[in-house]
């Protein structure tokens, strides 16, 4: 993650973690095709949307189930 933030993310505390092809904010139109290809290559069901993964990062580091707001 550190390498990604140093080389690919926008600078600063409020910088975006993922940027578009020209360094701007990601838009649905320039993200959808890449997400679909990546999801398919990884064998992830089409029922899973990128937004569904937002909770994954909050639960993996926890030693036991916890309520995360």
């Amino acid at each position: 993650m550190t390498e990604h933030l140093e080389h690919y993310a926008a600078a600063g505390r409020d910088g975006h973690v993922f940027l578009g092809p020209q360094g701007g904010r990601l838009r649905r139109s320039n993200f959808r095709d890449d997400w679909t290809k990546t999801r398919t290559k990884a064998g992830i069901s089409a029922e899973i949307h990128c937004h569904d993964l937002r909770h994954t990062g909050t639960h993996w580091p926890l030693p036991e189930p916890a309520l995360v707001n």
Side-chain angles (χ1 to χ4, degrees), residues 13-58:
R13 180 182 172 138
D14 295 325
H16 292 274
V17 176
F18 301 102
L19 301 174
Q22 297 179 345
R25 291 177 60 185
L26 281 177
R27 299 195 187 288
R28 187 174 298 187
S29 61
N30 64 10
F31 178 77
R32 181 183 50 240
D33 292 342
D34 290 334
W35 164 250
T36 300
K37 288 177 197 173
T38 302
R39 186 194 67 223
T40 301
K41 187 175 180 178
I44 298 172
S45 167
E47 295 176 3
I48 301 297
H49 303 278
C50 185
H51 189 73
D52 297 329
L53 302 178
R54 65 194 167 115
H55 297 293
T56 303
T58 61

